[in-house]
Amino acid sequence: MQTRRWDLTVGLGLLLIAALACNFSASTANISSLKLGKDKSVSHEAGNFAPGDTIYALATISNAPGKIKVKGRLVVDDVPGQKSGPVPGIEETLDLAGSGTATYTFSPPPNGWPKGKYKIEVIMMNEGSAKDQKTASFTFPDQ
């Protein structure tokens, strides 16, 4: 009788472990770096840009075991006459097959970027929910 109870306990324990394993993700996928620069390869990081500069952002995604979506967007932080928050229409979502680099290009408007403080936000998404996020700040100072 005691052997049957032990077998039942071990069997239920293994069943519980298997059920938990199906719902548990040990993924350590993350945005390991976010760099801003004035050239597509971001050979030199930058924090100040001229109003006519194109801004390039490189987000390095690490430890992604499979497909992942990475959203990059421009955010107004402190710009006179503008509301703080994401700039409508200036975002892009990229699909990566796994770990790699997400590259974003933010071209200036016809009259150039208004002076002030901005951010680039990069959000790593999995199944529709945010899993990691990084932000890099930059400015368009007075010319």
Side-chain angles (χ1 to χ4, degrees):
M1 179 102 144
Q2 193 172 20
T3 302
R4 281 188 166 161
R5 192 177 306 165
W6 175 249
D7 289 343
L8 181 62
T9 303
V10 170
L12 287 174
L14 290 174
L15 186 60
L16 179 63
I17 290 171
L20 288 173
C22 290
N23 292 324
F24 179 75
S25 173
S27 174
T28 58
N30 65 81
I31 303 169
S32 55
S33 71
L34 175 58
K35 298 177 184 179
L36 305 181
K38 297 179 182 183
D39 63 278
K40 194 167 187 137
S41 64
V42 186
S43 56
H44 295 21
E45 288 188 62
N48 291 317
F49 294 86
D53 286 347
T54 296
I55 302 152
Y56 297 94
L58 296 181
T60 303
I61 309 303
S62 300
N63 302 317
K67 293 180 182 180
I68 198 102
K69 290 186 180 293
V70 186
K71 179 175 21 176
R73 63 185 178 187
L74 180 69
V75 178
V76 171
D77 192 20
D78 184 17
V79 177
Q82 293 193 22
K83 182 179 175 184
S84 295
V87 178
I90 304 185
E91 75 175 44
E92 182 179 9
T93 300
L94 303 174
D95 293 314
L96 296 181
S99 297
T101 303
T103 303
Y104 300 95
T105 303
F106 299 95
S107 299
N111 294 329
W113 300 106
K115 69 176 183 171
K117 296 178 184 177
Y118 296 81
K119 295 184 228 178
I120 300 290
E121 284 183 349
V122 175
I123 304 163
M124 186 179 67
M125 312 286 286
N126 188 12
E127 297 178 11
S129 62
K131 298 298 180 190
D132 195 13
Q133 179 174 340
K134 278 224 186 285
T135 303
S137 298
F138 62 98
T139 60
F140 293 107
D142 290 333
Q143 294 297 321

